[in-house]
Structures are given as C-alpha cells and as structure tokens.
Amino acid sequence: MATWSNLNLQNSASPLMEQIIFFHDHTLIILIMITILVSYLMLNLFFNKFINRFLLENQMIEIIWTILPAIILIFIAFPSLRLLYLLDELNNPLITLKSIGHQWYWSYEYSDFNNIEFDSYMIQNNDLNKYNFRLLDVDNRIILPMNNQIRIMVTATDVIHSWTIPSLGVKIDANPGRINQTNLFINRPGLFYGQCSEICGINHSFMPIVIESISIKNFINWINNYS
C-alpha cells in the first residue's frame, strides 16, 4: 500500500505489475541517457567559442539526429507492445468476478457461484478500529484465491468509474451500459488496496477497493460458508 512518503511504485503482487515496473525502469534509463546527452551538447554550445558563419547545412548530422531517435523509439515501442498484449491476455480463468460501480460504492458478484453478491462500502470514521486504514478499508472485502487466473468484469450503473488496484497493475474503466474485462493473477497472500480512479461525483474519494488474497483451500471454505 502506498503511504504519504512513498514516491515509488507500489511493491508488485502480480506478474503483470512486475512487467510494468521493469518497463518503467527500462524507459527511465533511456530518458536519463537522452537527458545527459542533450545537457552535455547544450553546455558545449553555450560555453565554446567556435563559430562558422558560412555553415548552411550538414546532411550527416541531420541523418544522425533522424535515425538515432527512431532507433531509440524502437527500443521503447517493442517492450511496450509486448506488455500491452500481456495485459489483455486471458487464458482459462478459474473464477469470474463482476464489479459494478455506483455512486458511491462498489457491488460484486461471483458469477460462477449462486447467490454470492454483496455491496462494499467504505468504513466510516466513527466505525474504524485500530486495525483499519482511514478512507481505505471497506465493510465487505473481495475474497480471491492466490496463484490462480481470475477474470474481472467491470461495469457501472450511473456514471463512469474506474476500478484500480495499483499493486496488481490493474486499472479498468467502469462504463455504464458496457462491460470491460481484464485479468488478475495474485502471487502472494495479503490485503491489496485501491480506489476509484475516475472522478465520478462528490464522493469520488470515498469508494475504496480492498482485495483479500487467500489460499485456494481457504477460498473454497469461504464459498461454502457464504452459501
């Protein structure tokens, strides 16, 4: 979970988020190299005393500063396209979770099981205990098994919302009248927090998301007890 002093990405809890972090670092290294090169050239131009009054063009330099950026863009584009295809890939999900955005709470349906659906509201300040996080905890958490492929289907009933879990690398819009789909693969147990990431009204900041990742055995027990 992000805290007030954290300027970095959250720790990864899924393979997709790991790939996003790798791509971020890869791109950042390229940007730093470009910044250093351009800074060096600018300083040289500012402080040297050389001048050529008769220089009109230099085709070799123009070829270099056309081809070199194209090569750099290729080194960014190919990993980016690979990551985009990975984000959309969905193979044989174990379960399907449907998430529905409302003003201003989320409701969930486990489509593979009968009668498992609930609303998830933020816990108000007066009801918090010492183990809860203010503005982030909910009364009904999403329970999901770790180390399994999970399909998430997201929609809304009123305005556009956005279902987001940063540590899992998931951010998907909830559009009224349309169902968007993505996938999850959680590789460790724990609690993972998110919030609506699309301004949806006066209480936009008060509709958090909490996923509780547990083992498949405990998940089956929870399904049996819920039913």
Side-chain angles (χ1 to χ4, degrees):
M1 185 181 70
T3 58
W4 66 272
S5 60
N6 186 13
L7 299 179
N8 300 315
L9 297 171
Q10 294 187 27
N11 291 333
S12 167
S14 73
L16 288 178
M17 188 59 188
E18 289 178 4
Q19 293 298 316
I20 291 171
I21 293 173
F22 292 154
F23 177 69
H24 169 269
D25 295 343
H26 167 79
T27 308
L28 202 60
I29 289 171
I30 294 176
L31 291 176
I32 291 171
M33 292 169 60
I34 294 171
T35 303
I36 292 171
L37 176 62
V38 172
S39 301
Y40 172 75
L41 294 174
M42 289 179 66
L43 288 172
N44 272 340
L45 288 173
F46 286 148
F47 295 110
N48 73 50
K49 298 180 180 180
F50 300 112
I51 187 168
N52 187 341
R53 291 186 299 129
F54 304 105
L55 179 65
L56 296 178
E57 63 177 282
N58 189 322
Q59 291 187 353
M60 181 56 67
I61 292 177
E62 291 177 0
I63 290 171
I64 291 172
W65 73 37
T66 301
I67 293 177
L68 189 60
I71 294 172
I72 293 171
L73 287 175
I74 288 172
F75 276 97
I76 296 175
F78 282 168
S80 174
L81 290 172
R82 172 181 169 273
L83 185 56
L84 283 174
Y85 279 104
L86 283 176
L87 289 171
D88 283 337
E89 190 174 357
L90 183 60
N91 294 320
N92 302 320
L94 178 73
I95 62 172
T96 297
L97 174 71
K98 187 175 182 181
S99 174
I100 306 169
H102 306 266
Q103 290 180 313
W104 288 272
Y105 65 96
W106 296 95
S107 60
Y108 300 99
E109 301 174 7
Y110 288 77
S111 304
D112 303 300
F113 311 99
N114 292 327
N115 303 321
I116 300 184
E117 55 184 67
F118 53 84
D119 297 330
S120 181
Y121 290 87
M122 184 189 75
I123 298 177
Q124 300 298 319
N125 290 341
N126 296 334
D127 300 323
L128 290 172
N129 61 43
K130 61 181 180 180
Y131 304 110
N132 294 136
F133 292 106
R134 178 177 173 270
L135 303 182
L136 282 177
D137 261 307
V138 296
D139 53 0
N140 290 310
R141 297 170 179 164
I142 308 165
I143 309 296
L144 292 175
M146 63 179 183
N147 294 327
N148 286 282
Q149 198 76 30
I150 299 159
R151 175 169 54 190
I152 309 290
M153 304 180 72
V154 182
T155 187
T157 58
D158 34 51
V159 297
I160 299 176
H161 302 274
S162 186
W163 197 85
T164 307
I165 304 288
S167 59
L168 300 178
V170 175
K171 183 178 186 293
I172 180 168
D173 285 343
N175 298 312
R178 173 174 176 169
I179 296 177
N180 287 332
Q181 176 180 283
T182 189
N183 69 93
L184 287 180
F185 187 95
I186 309 172
N187 56 20
R188 58 187 172 92
L191 295 176
F192 307 105
Y193 295 86
Q195 292 173 297
C196 177
S197 298
E198 185 74 36
I199 296 176
C200 56
I202 189 171
N203 286 334
H204 157 69
S205 301
F206 307 110
M207 47 184 302
I209 304 157
V210 183
I211 290 180
E212 182 175 349
S213 172
I214 58 178
S215 67
I216 186 67
K217 180 180 178 182
N218 290 335
F219 177 75
I220 293 171
N221 291 336
W222 176 79
I223 291 293
N224 293 332
N225 293 333
Y226 199 97
S227 301

